[in-house]
């Protein structure tokens, strides 16, 4: 079977699942939904594996399927491109997506939600999200990518605001949507410029034009190419929660935990990284923008990690951690190590999905409590969750051998060693962040699982391990968090086809970028490469940083009593209040604009922004009203019509299907006469 | 006219599978009265082995394709495909029959001999290159099937089924034969290639009224055999009344063979006048799909439901015929292969749950099957999903290629109506799955003993083939594509 020509099915199957849920979900039992929706994603995963295996045997390592010309003016087809980069993405999206769907069947089992529609609505949105995400990563042009880009934003909005009766959830959904719209404006502009520059929006054609002699690297100047790349990067900062547009992501934790794991950790938020990697030919022509990307990435990494140090809500720690890890990926993009960015994206998907799902399991056990100050001592009560999260925390902290170590270390090494784009400062910031990461993750582990239980008696009584549907995905993800990094080991460990499999696999995609970067770098570059002693020393330092972070957390949260812990002085309230950025934004954009811009801005603010406050609730209510109407008039109507027409049809059937052979022969004869009559009429 | 009427060894070899099966079936008939009550089992083994040998011979014969017996039969990729298909259907039928016959206390050599004779007829149908030969094959296959339908002669339902099948079947073959006579009268030939040559010849001055009449008469015969509307009325009654393993066989073997001869006649001899056929095929395809699917919606008896379902599937294959192209032919071939496995698999499960006297063939008898016999329930689920046309099963690609062929032939409406029909079909197939998995078994239900080895083997083989064709359709499809263009 030729899976490569069927890649269009990969996004379509979850779409069918979503349509089935939103059209007939109300009529389906929970067990049916629990089979259909994860099954749809699982089927996409199976198709993806088949397609990727066949892709590996193609010499050109790329395959396009064009369904039909869609926007001929922009040279954008309804077309899909499977190449090494999108193959990694579809495997992550469908594979991890499948596990999270399975987990969600257990996690959402008690969900009734408004109008008893919570369960099917949730899975319908989740499948719809997978459809848009797969469209995003399989698109063969920027326009179709943007369709997916907007679509995942919409689904994220619907899912963050899933508990729309909670006001904070509605607000968070609104915030995510509006902040993302700001980023999208940058993306649209960037896309427009790119089309003006290259005359196409198709990835292959854009890359070809950018690689041609018409364009040289804009070293030392900030020209049109740099501006285009910067605009695209602004789009990425929105979706991937980078400074200054990161504020929506921590608030997005209002959504159900499987949503946080799937959308706000493993897949959607990495779309910005994917898009920049996809545009590598452009970014490698623009060292000035690349410097900005790396700087923003590094700043976000350390800034978010610092906030993560003191948060008490278990999901918020993980949310800031995600922002910080995304920062790492952008450092890699900024220093031109695109494959490393994808590598970290891929390992991060495993351990961060694991940690989020694990935290969901903890919350499940704690009867909904998210405050780590009220946890503790859960180690023996929920052993599977504990053990898997233990592995995940080791992986993210960067303990050698586990997935996070290889990808993070490669980013640090590239930041250190790239002669043009790298710098020692980037490396130092990264190292500090790594130490902080180890600290806040193990603070989370010690506060949650070790020491005395600090919950009330009622909660304590109810603590239980989660069902199999939740723990099995955790175990699979834990396996991934251990092994996923082995296909991207540093060359100093030895060189062979397996240990650098990912780099070789992705090489064709970043070939164009590499050539241009080499031109930009001149010839000074090569010497700095492969200074093995330095690499070993740096690796030792980052292992040291990780261990130091873990040991410090152990000392503070396991050895010291609560009263003996260092207070952190003035820094604590600053960090705890997230550097007051939300307040600053409120002041600047909400108060400032309404004061400065006068009536118009105030009106805008009141009608548009405040309107958005209730937007989630409104929209969900609207959808549920439409679906009520649809259920009453269309589904029930169709069922009734179906019953009616079946009854109506049964008269002729009963009339003729008498069982008497004479009447059969009569019908037979009537058929013969009808055919003869037809020919008689024709002639 | 050929000078030498004696067949050469080469020609005999091309006809070897049919000769082998005829010989074995005759020997079984002779041995039957000589064997005691306990010796009946060997006939199943003998016929099983002879079918395996005949399959091997067919494969060998395919290595040297060509005509035989003055061009009356032809061995090409197309006939080899269908020969093997009907023989495999025969093998699966024998596997599900033995235990059933023993349970009904009717195991005897005739049964196996009749199955083999029927298969011989079908093999002749699929390789006939000549209208009289084709008619002989059809009669050979049909008469054996009439007897099989009434095999449990003390059972009223069997008697009714056999009689209806026989009377209506004879009626239909009479029409077919009359059509053949008209064609011979106007063209002077019964050989398909010769008829084609005459119809293509601009100087032959054929009377189109006569051609149309012959077309109509032959269409009646073919449509009856494939149970296409408006000649499908017999199918529900006959399928419901016949013994379950016989229904399984009738719904695949004779049907696949009938479609094969329909395709060959349509794509070779009558290709020059295809515009005569097209409106008939179009209307019949649509009516067949609609009647099959909508009538299936309200059935409570599984055998009757599957009968209507098989009418609906005939409708889909008629869509492929209407496309009238090599792609359409390949799609029909692939569909028939998929349909053979999934349908015989479903009937294997029905045979199993029916128990003695076929007391349990209502949909409600499936309740809680997932708890009582989880493996059997899973197998039936695979077959039903495939019949529905869910991706990664054979049924999906079957429909996919048929509708693709229809679209390629610019029959957008027929394709759209066909897809809508297959959406309706999901209702009644999924209803069975719901009953199996979501209803508790009632207390009065008797214990279901483990399925016999034969039924297990047939179920697993059919399920494996269903999934294999769904995951690697190209294996069969490539072959079908290559053999779809007939030597004209």
């Amino acid at each position: 079977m030729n899976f490569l020509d069927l890649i269009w099915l990969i996004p379509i199957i979850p779409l069918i699942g979503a349509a089935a849920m939103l059209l007939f979900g109300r009529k389906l039992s929970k067990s049916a939904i629990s089979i259909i929706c994860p099954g749809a994603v699982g089927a996409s995963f199976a198709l993806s594996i088949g397609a990727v295996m066949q892709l590996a045997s193609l010499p050109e390592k790329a395959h396009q399927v064009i369904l039909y010309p869609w926007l001929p003016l922009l040279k954008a087809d309804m077309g899909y491109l499977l190449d090494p980069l999108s193959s990694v993405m579809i495997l992550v999206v469908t594979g991890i997506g499948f596990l999270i769907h399975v987990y969600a069947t257990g996690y959402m089992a008690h969900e009734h939600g408004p109008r008893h529609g919570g369960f099917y609505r949730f899975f319908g949105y989740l499948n719809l999200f997978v459809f848009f995400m797969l469209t995003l990563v399989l698109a063969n042009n920027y326009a179709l990518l943007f369709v997916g880009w907007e679509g995942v934003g919409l689904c994220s909005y619907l899912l963050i605001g899933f508990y729309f009766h909670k006001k904070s959830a509605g607000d968070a959904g609104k915030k995510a949507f509006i902040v993302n719209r700001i980023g999208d404006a940058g993306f649209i502009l960037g896309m427009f410029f790119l089309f003006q520059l290259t005359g196409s929006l198709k990835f292959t054609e854009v890359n070809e034009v950018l690689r041609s002699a018409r364009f040289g690297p804009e070293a030392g100047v900030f020209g049109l190419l740099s501006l285009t790349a910067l605009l695209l990067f602004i789009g990425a900062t929105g979706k991937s929660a980078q400074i200054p547009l990161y504020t929506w992501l921590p608030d997005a934790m209002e959504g159900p935990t499987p949503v946080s794991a799937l959308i706000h950790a493993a897949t959607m938020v990495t779309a910005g990284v994917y898009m920049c990697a996809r545009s590598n030919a452009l970014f490698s022509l623009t060292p000035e923008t690349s410097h900005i990307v790396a700087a923003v990435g590094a700043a976000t990494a350390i800034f978010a990690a610092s906030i993560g140090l003191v948060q008490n809500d278990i999901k918020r720690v993980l949310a800031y951690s995600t922002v910080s890890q995304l920062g790492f990926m952008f450092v890699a993009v900024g220093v031109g190590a695109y494959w490393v960015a994808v590598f970290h994206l891929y390992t991060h998907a495993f351990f961060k999905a694991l940690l989020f799902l694990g935290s969901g399991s903890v919350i499940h056990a704690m009867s909904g409590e998210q405050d780590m100050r009220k946890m503790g001592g859960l180690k023996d009560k929920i052993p599977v969750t504990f053990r898997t999260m233990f592995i995940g925390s080791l992986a993210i902290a960067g303990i050698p051998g586990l997935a996070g170590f290889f990808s993070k270390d490669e980013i640090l090494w590239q930041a250190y060693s790239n002669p043009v784009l790298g710098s020692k400062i980037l490396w130092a910031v990264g190292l500090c962040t790594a130490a902080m990461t180890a600290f806040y993750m193990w603070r989370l582990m010690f506060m949650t699982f070790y020491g005395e239980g600090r919950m009330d008696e009622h909660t304590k009584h109810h603590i239980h391990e989660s069902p199999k549907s939740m723990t099995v995905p955790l175990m699979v993800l834990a396996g991934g968090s251990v092994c996923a990094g082995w296909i991207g080991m540093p060359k100093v460990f030895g060189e062979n086809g397996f240990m650098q499999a990912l780099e070789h696999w992705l090489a064709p995609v970043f070939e164009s970028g590499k050539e241009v970067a080499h031109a930009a770098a001149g010839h000074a570059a090569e010497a700095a490469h492969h200074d093995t002693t330095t690499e070993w020393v740096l690796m030792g330092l980052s292992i040291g940083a990780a261990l130091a972070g873990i040991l410090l957390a152990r000392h503070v949260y396991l050895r010291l009593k609560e009263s003996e812990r260092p207070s952190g002085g003035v820094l604590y309230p600053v960090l705890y209040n997230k550097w007051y950025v939300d307040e600053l934004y409120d002041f600047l954009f909400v108060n400032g604009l309404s004061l400065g811009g006068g009536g118009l801005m105030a009106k805008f603010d009141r009608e548009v922004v405040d309107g958005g406050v209730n937007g989630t609730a409104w929209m969900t209510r609207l959808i549920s009203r439409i679906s009520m109407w649809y259920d009453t008039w269309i589904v029930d109507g169709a069922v009734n019509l179906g019953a009616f027409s079946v009854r109506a049809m049964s008269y002729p059937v009963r009339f003729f299907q008498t069982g008497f052979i004479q009447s059969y022969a009569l019908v037979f004869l009537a058929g013969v006469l009808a055919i003869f009559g037809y020919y008689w009429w024709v002639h | 006219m050929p000078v030498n009427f004696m067949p050469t060894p080469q020609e005999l070899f091309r006809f070897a599978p049919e000769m082998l099966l005829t010989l074995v079936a005759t020997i079984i008939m002779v041995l039957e009265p000589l064997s005691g009550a306990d010796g009946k089992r060997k006939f199943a083994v003998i016929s099983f082995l002879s079918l395996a040998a005949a399959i091997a011979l067919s494969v060998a014969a395919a290595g040297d394709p060509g005509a035989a017996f003055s061009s009356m039969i032809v061995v090409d990729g197309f006939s080899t495909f269908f020969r093997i298909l009907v023989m495999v259907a025969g093998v699966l039928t024998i596997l599900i029959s033995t235990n059933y016959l023993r349970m009904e206390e009717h195991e005897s050599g005739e049964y196996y001999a009749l199955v083999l004779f029927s298969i011989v007829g079908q093999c002749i149908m699929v390789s006939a290159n000549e209208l009289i030969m084709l008619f002989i094959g059809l009669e050979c296959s049909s008469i054996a099937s009439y007897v099989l339908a009434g095999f449990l002669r003390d059972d009223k339902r069997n008697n009714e089924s056999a009689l209806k099948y026989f009377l209506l079947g004879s009626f239909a073959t009479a029409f077919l034969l009359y059509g053949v006579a008209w064609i011979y009268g106007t063209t002077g030939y019964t050989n398909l290639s010769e008829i084609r040559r005459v119809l293509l010849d601009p100087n032959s001055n054929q009377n189109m009224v006569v051609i149309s009449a012959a077309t109509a008469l032959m269409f009646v015969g073919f449509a009856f055999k494939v149970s296409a509307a408006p000649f499908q009325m017999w199918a529900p009654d006959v399928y419901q009344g016949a013994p379950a393993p016989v229904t399984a066989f009738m719904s695949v073997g004779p049907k696949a063979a009938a479609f094969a001869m329909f395709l060959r006649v349509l794509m070779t001899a009558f290709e020059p006048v295809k515009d005569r056929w097209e409106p008939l095929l179009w209307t019949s395809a649509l009516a067949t799909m609609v009647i099959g699917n909508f009538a299936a919606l309200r059935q409570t008896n599984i055998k009757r439901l599957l009968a209507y379902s098989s009418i609906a599937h005939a409708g889909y294959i008629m869509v492929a015929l209407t496309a009238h192209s090599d792609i359409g032919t390949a799609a029909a071939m692939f569909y028939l292969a998929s349909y053979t496995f999934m349908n015989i698999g479903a009937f294997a499960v029905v045979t199993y749950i029916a128990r003695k006297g076929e007391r349990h063939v209502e949909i409600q008898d499936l309740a809680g099957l997932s708890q009582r016999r989880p493996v059997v329930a899973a197998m039936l689920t695979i077959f039903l999903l495939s019949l529905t046309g869910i991706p990664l099963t054979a049924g999906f690609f079957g429909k996919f290629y048929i509708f693709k062929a229809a679209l390629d032939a610019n029959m957008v409406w027929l394709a759209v109506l066909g897809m809508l029909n297959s959406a309706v079909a999901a209702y009644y197939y999924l209803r069975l799955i719901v009953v199996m998995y979501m209803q508790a078994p009632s207390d009065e239900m008797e214990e279901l003993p483990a399925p016999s080895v034969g039924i297990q083997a047939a179920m697993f083989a059919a399920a494996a083939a269903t999934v294999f064709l769904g995951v690697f359709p190209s294996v069969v499809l490539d072959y079908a594509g290559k053999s779809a263009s007939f030597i004209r």
Side-chain angles (χ1 to χ4, degrees):
Chain A
M1 170 159 146
N2 192 347
F3 288 103
L4 286 174
D5 287 327
L6 292 175
I7 51 174
W8 55 272
L9 268 178
I10 296 173
I12 296 299
I13 297 173
L15 178 66
I16 294 171
M21 281 314 104
L22 300 176
L23 297 182
F24 312 112
R26 217 169 66 110
K27 306 268 172 207
L28 294 175
S29 70
K30 278 192 181 174
S31 44
I33 296 171
S34 308
I35 292 168
I36 296 170
C37 292
V41 182
S44 291
F45 182 51
L47 282 177
S48 306
I49 291 178
V52 173
M53 277 164 62
Q54 291 182 353
L55 179 73
S57 60
L58 287 187
E60 68 273 19
K61 295 281 184 288
H63 186 78
Q64 297 208 32
V65 174
I66 288 163
L67 294 186
Y68 57 91
W70 175 43
L71 304 168
L73 277 179
L74 295 174
K75 295 206 185 157
D77 299 323
M78 197 54 97
Y80 297 105
L81 166 69
L82 187 70
D83 69 352
L85 178 56
S86 50
S87 71
V88 173
M89 295 302 291
I90 57 171
L91 289 178
V92 168
V93 172
T94 55
I96 295 192
F98 173 66
L99 291 173
I100 294 175
H101 271 73
V102 172
Y103 175 94
T105 60
Y107 189 85
M108 301 301 283
H110 306 300
E111 181 55 51
H112 297 293
R115 294 183 202 283
H116 304 283
F119 198 73
Y120 80 83
R121 212 158 45 88
F122 178 80
F123 277 99
Y125 294 160
L126 216 54
N127 262 6
L128 189 64
F129 167 78
V130 173
F131 160 69
F132 279 122
M133 190 68 206
L134 287 169
T135 307
L136 193 162
V137 297
L138 275 174
N140 76 344
N141 61 73
Y142 283 95
L144 188 58
L145 185 152
F146 189 69
V147 170
W149 185 274
E150 284 294 276
V152 290
L154 176 71
C155 294
S156 155
Y157 168 70
L158 290 168
L159 283 162
I160 294 169
F162 182 70
Y163 300 118
F164 65 80
H165 41 90
K166 250 165 79 185
K167 183 171 184 302
S168 57
D171 284 356
K174 170 218 70 179
K175 189 168 177 180
F177 203 64
I178 291 177
V179 170
N180 266 300
R181 296 296 311 176
I182 298 171
D184 292 347
F187 188 13
I188 295 175
L189 274 176
M191 209 156 71
F192 176 71
F193 275 47
L194 200 61
F195 184 72
Q196 291 299 313
L197 284 168
T198 64
S200 175
L201 283 179
K202 210 169 178 174
F203 297 141
T204 46
E205 287 171 11
V206 168
N207 283 357
E208 204 170 307
V209 175
L210 286 175
R211 230 185 320 181
S212 70
R214 261 177 64 201
F215 295 98
E218 288 184 339
V221 286
F222 195 87
L224 205 50
L225 283 178
S226 302
L227 179 64
T228 309
L230 185 65
L231 286 167
L232 290 181
F233 175 62
I234 289 174
T237 58
K239 191 104 322 188
S240 294
Q242 296 295 291
I243 293 175
L245 298 178
Y246 72 95
T247 53
W248 66 271
L249 184 57
D251 287 8
M253 296 301 128
E254 292 288 349
T257 305
V259 172
S260 311
L262 178 61
I263 302 186
H264 306 118
T267 58
M268 183 187 85
V269 289
T270 61
V273 181
Y274 166 76
M275 192 263 287
C276 290
R278 182 54 86 194
S279 315
N280 65 82
L282 176 65
F283 278 87
S284 50
L285 283 174
T286 58
E288 299 306 315
T289 305
S290 290
H291 285 314
I292 297 175
V293 173
V296 168
T300 310
I302 194 162
F303 179 77
S306 72
I307 299 173
L309 295 175
V310 297
Q311 297 301 312
N312 289 322
D313 181 319
I314 187 168
K315 281 180 74 184
R316 280 196 175 247
V317 175
L318 292 173
Y320 281 104
S321 162
T322 304
V323 176
S324 166
Q325 297 295 316
L326 290 165
F328 267 112
M329 295 175 209
F330 279 104
V331 171
V333 170
V335 299
Y338 304 105
W339 83 266
V340 188
V342 177
F343 182 31
H344 196 54
L345 185 164
Y346 146 82
T347 56
H348 176 252
F350 282 99
F351 56 72
K352 192 50 71 65
L354 166 63
L355 290 169
F356 262 115
L357 296 185
S359 78
S361 179
V362 168
I363 295 166
H364 193 81
M366 294 290 299
S367 314
E369 183 57 70
Q370 302 195 11
D371 192 334
M372 295 191 294
R373 283 170 299 187
K374 296 182 185 155
M375 297 181 186
L378 295 176
K379 193 157 72 95
D380 302 319
K381 301 201 173 104
I382 45 174
V384 179
T385 308
F386 165 68
R387 283 181 206 142
T388 51
M389 278 188 85
F390 191 89
I391 294 172
S393 303
L394 286 179
I396 192 176
I399 293 304
L402 283 78
F405 168 75
F406 293 110
S407 53
K408 189 187 289 185
D409 211 60
E410 192 64 30
I411 292 177
L412 292 177
W413 167 243
Q414 295 281 352
Y416 183 89
S417 66
N418 189 303
V420 178
L421 299 165
S423 83
K424 311 273 181 295
I425 300 171
L426 283 178
W427 171 79
V429 171
L431 190 67
C432 286
T433 310
M436 285 155 87
T437 308
F439 178 83
Y440 67 65
M441 274 317 303
W442 284 88
R443 171 176 172 269
L444 181 153
M445 289 300 288
F446 291 130
M447 283 180 83
T448 309
F449 291 106
Y450 290 81
E452 291 292 308
R454 296 178 295 275
M455 63 292 284
D456 57 44
E457 279 307 312
H458 183 70
T459 314
K460 196 172 207 160
H461 190 70
H462 275 108
I463 294 175
H464 58 281
E465 182 59 283
S466 303
K468 278 271 179 328
S469 56
M470 290 166 70
T471 50
V472 171
L474 288 179
M475 291 187 260
V476 176
L477 286 169
S481 304
V482 175
C483 310
W486 296 348
I487 55 169
M489 294 197 199
K491 294 207 177 73
V492 292
F493 278 32
E495 290 191 45
N496 65 39
F498 175 73
M499 287 160 83
Q500 281 85 35
L502 191 70
E503 185 176 1
H504 292 156
W505 175 242
L506 288 169
V509 182
F510 303 127
E511 207 58 64
S512 61
K514 206 179 249 169
E515 284 165 22
V516 194
H518 275 273
H523 295 291
E526 297 303 322
H529 262 326
H530 295 295
D531 181 350
T532 40
T533 327
T534 322
E535 197 170 347
W536 282 113
V537 170
L538 294 185
M539 199 182 295
L541 282 173
S542 68
I543 296 169
L547 290 175
I550 297 174
L551 292 176
L552 185 64
R554 179 177 148 85
H555 177 70
V556 174
Y557 291 95
L558 214 55
R559 291 287 155 80
L560 298 184
K561 293 204 176 62
E562 206 158 353
S563 53
E564 297 166 357
R565 285 178 195 160
S567 68
V570 288
L571 210 51
Y572 181 80
V574 174
L575 292 180
Y576 185 72
N577 287 305
K578 303 163 267 179
W579 296 89
Y580 298 104
V581 169
D582 280 309
E583 284 74 8
L584 180 72
Y585 280 10
D586 270 359
F587 176 73
L588 281 180
F589 296 115
V590 182
N591 303 338
L593 282 184
S594 55
L595 284 176
L600 187 68
M601 282 317 287
K603 194 168 148 68
F604 171 85
D605 186 54
R606 197 166 54 241
E607 293 188 354
V608 179
V609 180
D610 284 359
V613 172
N614 298 319
T616 319
W618 178 81
M619 187 144 169
T620 313
R621 242 178 271 129
L622 177 73
I623 289 176
S624 90
R625 203 165 300 159
I626 291 173
S627 81
M628 278 285 283
W629 179 87
Y630 170 85
D631 271 339
T632 320
W633 293 102
I634 310 291
V635 176
D636 292 352
V639 170
N640 292 339
L641 184 72
F644 172 77
S645 61
V646 167
R647 233 178 298 134
M649 285 229 10
S650 78
Y651 290 119
V653 170
R654 221 179 301 160
F655 185 77
F656 291 114
Q657 201 83 39
T658 50
F660 286 113
I661 200 155
Q662 295 91 318
S663 68
Y664 292 0
L666 209 62
V667 173
F668 197 121
L669 213 56
V672 174
L673 289 177
I675 294 172
F676 273 98
Y678 165 77
Y679 279 125
W680 182 73
W681 178 69
V682 169
H683 282 292
Chain B
M1 277 283 133
V3 184
N4 187 358
F5 288 94
M6 274 308 288
T8 61
Q10 195 187 21
E11 288 177 318
L12 287 173
F13 184 62
R14 287 183 187 137
F15 200 58
E18 286 86 347
M19 293 194 293
L20 172 75
L21 292 179
T22 313
L23 187 70
V24 173
T26 316
I27 292 173
I28 291 177
M29 291 292 232
V30 172
L31 287 182
E32 156 63 23
L34 304 178
S35 68
D38 301 330
K40 310 291 187 194
R41 169 165 265 181
K42 65 173 175 282
F43 297 123
V45 179
I46 292 172
S47 39
F48 184 93
L49 292 176
S50 68
L51 279 171
I55 291 174
L57 278 175
S58 312
V59 174
D64 176 29
F69 304 111
S70 314
S71 238
M72 292 213 290
I73 69 158
V74 60
V75 172
D76 53 10
F78 184 82
S79 61
T80 306
F81 181 91
F82 278 105
R83 260 181 175 178
I84 294 175
L85 188 65
V86 295
M87 289 183 204
V88 169
V91 168
L92 293 172
T93 306
I94 288 171
L95 285 176
I96 62 176
S97 298
T98 48
N99 198 53
Y100 180 91
L101 293 174
R102 212 163 303 139
M103 200 166 58
E104 303 289 346
E105 290 153 14
H106 255 92
E107 188 171 33
S108 61
E110 294 106 72
Y111 182 89
Y112 302 107
L114 285 166
V115 170
L116 293 185
F117 281 133
S118 182
I119 290 171
V120 170
Q122 287 152 29
C123 288
I124 295 174
M125 280 158 84
V126 303
S127 43
N129 192 36
E130 205 265 338
L131 290 172
I132 298 298
M133 201 65 197
L134 191 148
F135 179 76
I136 292 172
L138 181 63
E139 280 301 80
C140 190
S141 156
S142 301
I143 292 171
S145 313
Y146 302 150
V147 184
L148 281 173
F151 194 74
L152 308 179
R153 57 183 172 274
D154 306 326
D155 190 310
K156 270 191 199 157
R157 292 170 296 182
N158 276 216
N159 281 320
E160 181 188 336
S161 166
L163 201 61
K164 278 181 178 166
Y165 195 19
F166 169 65
L167 286 174
L168 290 170
S170 317
F171 202 31
T173 27
F175 277 94
L176 178 65
L177 196 58
Y178 200 26
V180 171
W182 280 52
I183 284 293
Y184 180 69
T186 185
T187 63
Y189 292 102
T190 52
N191 185 291
L192 297 179
S193 323
E194 298 294 334
I195 296 170
R196 175 186 168 84
R197 194 177 51 74
V198 173
L199 290 179
L200 276 177
D201 185 358
N203 303 321
S204 68
N205 269 332
Q206 292 300 318
N207 182 343
M208 283 325 278
V209 177
V210 178
I211 300 285
S212 296
T215 302
L217 290 166
M218 291 180 68
F219 176 83
V220 172
F222 290 142
F224 177 87
K225 288 296 164 191
V226 301
S227 69
F231 310 106
Q232 87 300 344
M233 312 270 316
W234 60 277
D237 289 17
V238 173
Y239 283 15
Q240 189 182 2
V246 174
T247 311
F249 180 63
M250 285 194 300
S251 70
V252 292
K255 197 161 191 159
F259 264 118
M261 67 175 186
F262 202 168
L263 273 167
R264 190 188 286 275
V265 169
L266 207 57
M267 296 294 291
T268 57
F270 290 95
E271 211 235 348
V273 290
K274 64 181 178 191
D275 53 329
R276 302 278 114 188
W277 292 89
E278 201 184 290
L280 288 189
L281 288 169
W282 202 102
T283 319
S284 174
L286 180 61
T288 312
M289 288 189 291
V290 170
I291 291 175
N293 281 316
F294 280 86
L297 284 176
R298 39 178 281 121
Q299 301 306 322
T300 54
N301 179 297
I302 307 173
K303 279 169 85 183
R304 204 169 173 84
L305 185 147
L306 286 175
Y308 279 112
S309 132
S310 89
I311 294 177
H313 286 280
Y316 303 132
I317 302 169
M318 292 289 279
V319 173
L321 262 65
T322 319
H324 225 292
S325 61
D326 288 355
I327 305 171
T329 308
M333 289 166 75
F334 182 83
Y335 201 97
L336 281 163
S338 328
Y339 170 78
T340 298
F341 290 113
M342 60 203 188
N343 214 47
I344 225 166
F347 270 112
V349 177
V350 173
T351 309
Y352 163 61
I353 60 153
R355 312 313 308 151
K356 185 169 164 48
E358 294 200 14
R359 279 163 300 156
H360 304 293
V361 284
E362 293 298 308
I363 289 179
Q364 275 314 314
D365 293 319
L366 289 174
L369 190 66
S370 60
Q371 294 161 39
R372 295 192 292 159
R373 286 285 156 195
V375 178
V376 177
M379 293 288 143
L380 184 54
T381 305
I382 291 177
F383 301 130
L384 291 172
L385 289 179
S386 182
L387 286 165
T388 318
I390 302 292
L392 293 184
T393 59
F396 168 72
F397 283 100
K399 288 202 178 65
F400 180 85
Y401 291 118
I402 280 184
F403 294 135
K404 183 172 177 296
L407 289 174
D408 285 351
N410 277 326
M411 299 187 308
V412 180
W413 280 109
L414 191 56
V416 169
L417 291 168
M419 285 181 227
L420 288 177
N421 256 289
S422 67
V424 171
Y427 276 103
Y428 57 84
Y429 293 126
L430 294 183
R431 192 159 58 119
L432 299 189
I433 298 182
V434 168
V435 172
M436 281 195 296
Y437 280 88
M438 294 171 194
Q439 283 188 15
S442 73
D443 295 335
E444 304 97 79
M445 281 180 171
E446 56 188 294
E447 188 76 5
L448 265 181
S452 70
V453 180
I455 286 192
Q456 280 187 24
M459 270 190 329
F460 283 115
T466 304
V467 173
F468 180 82
L469 287 179
V471 179
F472 304 102
S474 52
V475 179
V476 171
L477 201 69
D478 286 350
Y479 182 83
K482 265 183 272 168
S483 35
S485 47
F486 300 94
I487 309 154
R488 291 182 177 120

